[in-house]
């Protein structure tokens, strides 16, 4: 065997002897009776968990307050302000100021608009 190789059997033997020597030193007075594992009290929540719960409660309260204040109300809707004058159209239209009457272009009858495809001056016999 070379110097770099480790003799595993000798190491294992030494470890077993050390464990047996330690086990032999333990006596009945060193042992205590078995006890069931205890759970930590519920009131000792970590600070982070408590902060998250409080933030959640605050967010829920804010949502409830928003829904109550901005929800539909049972109050009737008041009508808008009515104008002081009548909005109905008048029966006879009257011009606001006197206007000159402009004669219609030649070739059209009164009330008809000139045809944009036709020439401005009528041609005829």
């Amino acid at each position: 065997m070379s110097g770099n190789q480790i003799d595993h059997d000798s190491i294992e033997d030494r470890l077993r002897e050390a464990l047996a020597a330690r086990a032999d030193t333990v006596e009945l007075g060193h042992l205590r009776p078995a006890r069931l594992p205890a759970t930590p009290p519920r009131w000792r929540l970590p600070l982070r968990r408590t902060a998250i719960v409080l933030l959640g409660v605050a967010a829920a309260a804010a949502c409830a307050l928003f829904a109550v204040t901005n929800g539909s109300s049972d109050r009737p809707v008041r009508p808008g302000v009515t104008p002081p004058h009548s909005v109905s159209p008048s029966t006879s239209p009257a011009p606001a100021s006197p206007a000159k009457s402009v004669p219609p272009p030649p070739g059209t009858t009164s009330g008809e608009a000139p045809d944009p495809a036709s020439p401005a001056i009528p041609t005829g016999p």
Side-chain angles (χ1 to χ4, degrees), residues 1 3 5 21 26 28-29 31 41 45 47 54 70 74 95 103 118:
M1 185 168 38
Q5 276 189 335
V26 176
L28 187 60
L31 301 177
L45 292 175
L47 181 62
L54 289 177
N70 289 338
D74 293 335
S118 67

Side-chain angles (χ1 to χ4, degrees), residues 1-54:
M1 185 168 38
S2 69
N4 290 339
Q5 276 189 335
I6 300 173
D7 186 16
H8 293 288
D9 291 333
S10 66
I11 292 176
E12 186 175 347
D13 290 337
R14 286 181 13 198
L15 286 174
R16 285 182 189 269
E17 289 173 7
L19 180 62
R22 180 71 177 140
D24 289 340
T25 61
V26 176
E27 296 178 357
L28 187 60
H30 294 119
L31 301 177
R32 63 176 179 208
R35 187 172 53 166
L36 292 175
T39 58
R42 289 300 238 178
W43 58 268
R44 299 181 72 198
L45 292 175
L47 181 62
R48 182 175 179 179
R49 187 182 307 168
T50 305
I52 289 172
V53 168
L54 289 177

